[in-house]
Amino acid sequence: MAMNIKEMLQNLGIQNSNPSYSTGNIWGDTHGSQIDSFSPVDGQKIASVAAASDEDYKTVLQQAVAAAAYWKAVPAPRRGDIVRQFGDALRKHKTDLGTLVSYEMGKSLQEGLGEVQEMIDICDFAVGQSRQLYGLTMHSERPSHRMYEQWHPLGIVGIISAFNFPVAVWSWNTALALVCGNVCIWKPSSKTPLCAIACQHILAAVLKANELPEGISSLLIGNAIGDKMNNDPRINLISFTGSTRVGRIVSTAVASRFGKSILELGGNNAIIISKDADLDMSVIGAVFGAVGTAGQRCTSTRRLIIHEDIYDTFRERLVAAYEQLRIGNPLDENHHVGPLIDKDAVESYLKAIEKAKQEGASFLVEGGLLEGDSYTSGCYVKPCVAEVENHFSIVQEETFAPILYLIKYKTLDEAITLQNAVPQGLSSAIMTLNLREAEQFLSAAGSDCGIANVNIGTSGAEIGGAFGGEKETGGGRESGSDAWKGYMRRQTNTINYSNTLPLAQGIKFNI
């Protein structure tokens, strides 16, 4: 594997053991500290990355400010063409980049390749969007006046992303921000720096080929970078993906300087399994939602709220499905579940299991750490299932691991109340063939989440829809629909083409 990984890194432009951060199109040494990237797949050190220093940060911001002045004047369709070229470059590097995502983060190879496909898809979406940055026209109450609104770039967009989707979430933000006329500065998770370097290298090559300024897209790696970005008034928008705890810090810092933020925070997602559900579909949706990416998605299924009439039957089928799961090297497509990101995540998983037992949970499928020659990294755990009450404090929390909680209900009103009775509000789903149940779930009196699905699980959102959630999930929206508006500022314009100056609301001002 070592030779294959080395070749893969070289194909992505990472050709030495100490790849550094990028300022736009320039790759060079820095004076910052060193960050080591270890694979949770086998525990091996992949490479060391130079973290950005204070001087590096200063340089990047200076370049971004200069680039922003240039980029906002470039016609939006031309900006879209650059994003199109980036999407084409991703197509060429899909296999290598998807493999790197799988190896550095630990998700299955299929999911790694799927994440790169999401990047390609959002580029395609953004290219079309570059010709559709529409404003509205309004009728003025004053004669011979015309009113309309238009959208302008914000300037500099800061993107702070998490380890679990080390490339896709950045692309959601970057593709839209670029076509909207902004420049981007990316602070990735220090747990997956090589994925970020590879992406930046691919985009930097496109920018260089088009003779565009440095600083249109920049990368800063390091644990201290986020605080600098959050408090920097030159960065007009911070898009943050991560925990609710850190999101509060980000939100407070950015708001204190009247900056804008897009917050994509925690999820505690439930699927309601109706007595009128297709049980075959429901089992598939529940299992994938709970164990995909080893439960490390913000949209992972954490809770199953199951009707009492089918509870025993569904529980039996679910346990049987869990017994068939194959856990191991995610680069092997025969495995369903890979490792957690690191040993800290394992510790959090084990503590959650212990806390659930202390609160009265009954485990149908026991969890635990996997050991042996196939699990040398110490990051492989068993997906587990427990019967609980929704009010348990551990159930109210988001544990980034494959722990699934089962809860019984009698009526749909009760199920919806249970679904909504957590602090988070990201994704939700109901499995039912009953049209009335589906419509009630989607109504204003139904799910309080930003995403509500019928007969599909809680994970696997498409880029065409706006992605995000309510309550402690932060209220941000990324990706499709009109999420592009979050990266622009609205301006209302009134044009008087008469030879007088009538005032609004019929006011008279004679001088």
Side-chain angles (χ1 to χ4, degrees):
M1 177 179 290
M3 288 299 295
N4 291 336
I5 295 299
K6 182 178 180 181
E7 181 181 352
M8 173 191 65
L9 294 176
Q10 289 177 340
N11 291 341
L12 293 168
I14 305 173
Q15 300 183 15
N16 56 60
S17 61
N18 191 41
S20 65
Y21 85 108
S22 167
T23 61
N25 299 329
I26 294 178
W27 292 79
D29 294 330
T30 74
H31 301 91
S33 59
Q34 180 173 293
I35 295 175
D36 296 329
S37 175
F38 290 89
S39 171
V41 175
D42 53 19
Q44 296 300 306
K45 177 179 173 180
I46 309 173
S48 296
V49 177
S53 66
D54 290 344
E55 190 62 30
D56 297 327
Y57 183 86
K58 179 180 178 181
T59 299
V60 164
L61 264 294
Q62 288 174 341
Q63 291 180 333
V65 169
Y70 170 88
W71 188 241
K72 69 180 180 181
V74 174
R78 169 59 177 155
R79 300 192 299 250
D81 186 62
I82 298 302
V83 174
R84 178 194 62 78
Q85 293 178 45
F86 177 46
D88 288 344
L90 288 171
R91 286 177 170 89
K92 296 177 183 178
H93 292 286
K94 179 178 177 179
T95 298
D96 287 322
L97 184 55
T99 304
L100 177 58
V101 168
S102 177
Y103 187 59
E104 189 176 34
M105 184 269 150
K107 64 176 57 178
S108 72
L109 180 59
Q110 299 98 310
E111 290 183 83
L113 295 171
E115 187 169 342
V116 180
Q117 186 60 50
E118 278 192 41
M119 301 177 75
I120 295 168
D121 292 343
I122 195 63
C123 286
D124 289 348
F125 180 92
V127 173
Q129 192 67 68
S130 69
R131 293 180 181 270
Q132 301 180 78
L133 303 176
Y134 298 135
L136 299 174
T137 59
M138 290 79 72
H139 289 279
S140 173
E141 66 184 48
R142 291 166 287 185
S144 301
H145 282 59
R146 180 167 68 88
M147 293 179 63
Y148 69 96
E149 67 180 22
Q150 58 183 333
W151 296 83
H152 293 304
L154 291 172
I156 301 176
V157 170
I159 303 165
I160 303 176
S161 62
F163 72 86
N164 59 328
F165 280 86
V167 297
V169 171
W170 167 72
S171 71
W172 291 358
N173 286 275
T174 298
L176 290 181
L178 289 180
V179 299
C180 289
N182 305 292
V183 303
C184 299
I185 298 174
W186 183 17
K187 188 272 177 196
S189 169
S190 295
K191 297 180 181 182
T192 51
L194 297 176
C195 289
I197 289 174
C199 290
Q200 177 63 18
H201 187 85
I202 294 169
L203 180 52
V206 172
L207 298 175
K208 185 175 182 179
N210 286 271
E211 300 181 343
L212 291 169
E214 299 169 12
I216 288 178
S217 176
S218 302
L219 177 66
L220 288 165
I221 295 173
N223 294 324
I225 297 300
D227 285 341
K228 292 180 181 293
M229 293 172 63
N230 295 334
N231 291 285
D232 195 326
R234 294 171 293 182
I235 301 179
N236 307 87
L237 167 70
I238 293 290
S239 178
F240 172 79
T241 303
S243 69
T244 296
R245 180 187 65 82
V246 178
R248 285 193 176 95
I249 298 171
V250 173
S251 177
T252 301
V254 176
S256 70
R257 61 177 177 83
F258 297 103
K260 294 187 175 184
S261 60
I262 296 174
L263 301 176
E264 298 289 355
L265 311 178
N268 194 345
N269 316 295
I271 301 176
I272 296 173
I273 311 294
S274 165
K275 62 183 176 62
D276 294 323
D278 181 318
L279 296 190
D280 291 335
M281 291 172 53
S282 300
V283 169
I284 294 171
V287 175
F288 176 75
V291 308
T293 323
Q296 297 173 111
R297 295 185 178 205
C298 54
T299 56
S300 290
T301 304
R302 310 288 176 199
R303 298 172 294 147
L304 292 184
I305 303 171
I306 308 167
H307 194 277
E308 61 181 5
D309 287 358
I310 61 164
Y311 185 87
D312 291 341
T313 299
F314 191 83
R315 178 181 58 183
E316 181 179 337
R317 295 187 63 171
L318 185 71
V319 170
Y322 265 67
E323 291 173 349
Q324 300 175 48
L325 292 175
R326 295 185 295 272
I327 308 166
N329 187 330
L331 295 172
D332 183 343
E333 296 188 14
N334 291 314
H335 292 143
H336 300 109
V337 186
L340 296 178
I341 185 65
D342 56 23
K343 292 181 180 179
D344 287 342
V346 173
E347 185 66 20
S348 177
Y349 157 86
L350 294 173
K351 287 181 178 179
I353 291 175
E354 183 60 30
K355 186 175 181 180
K357 289 181 177 179
Q358 291 174 357
E359 292 193 73
S362 174
F363 277 79
L364 304 173
V365 179
E366 291 289 341
L369 178 66
L370 289 168
E371 298 177 314
D373 293 342
S374 299
Y375 311 113
T376 55
S377 69
C379 296
Y380 291 86
V381 300
K382 301 175 185 176
C384 55
V385 180
E387 294 178 303
V388 300
E389 297 293 336
N390 197 66
H391 65 266
F392 288 0
S393 62
I394 190 61
V395 177
Q396 294 286 308
E397 300 172 10
E398 179 190 42
T399 302
F400 238 45
I403 304 175
L404 181 62
Y405 301 118
L406 306 191
I407 303 161
K408 189 183 296 185
Y409 81 92
K410 293 183 178 181
T411 68
L412 183 59
D413 286 341
E414 178 191 4
I416 292 173
T417 298
L418 289 168
Q419 138 71 39
N420 294 342
V422 292
Q424 310 83 359
L426 178 52
S427 187
S428 59
I430 186 170
M431 294 293 188
T432 183
L433 301 180
N434 184 315
L435 178 61
R436 289 178 176 175
E437 287 190 332
E439 290 296 335
Q440 181 178 343
F441 180 74
L442 299 177
S443 73
S447 170
D448 64 0
C449 294
I451 300 169
N453 299 326
V454 176
N455 291 329
I456 62 172
T458 59
S459 61
E462 297 184 30
I463 60 94
F467 180 89
E470 302 302 320
K471 301 189 295 188
E472 289 191 0
T473 302
R477 293 298 186 272
E478 296 172 335
S479 193
S481 185
D482 64 348
W484 62 271
K485 293 179 179 179
Y487 304 89
M488 305 196 82
R489 60 181 177 88
R490 187 197 309 254
Q491 184 180 80
T492 301
N493 308 111
T494 304
I495 300 172
N496 177 5
Y497 56 93
S498 74
N499 56 6
T500 61
L501 187 60
L503 304 179
Q505 290 85 42
I507 294 173
K508 304 294 184 182
F509 188 69
N510 298 318
I511 56 172

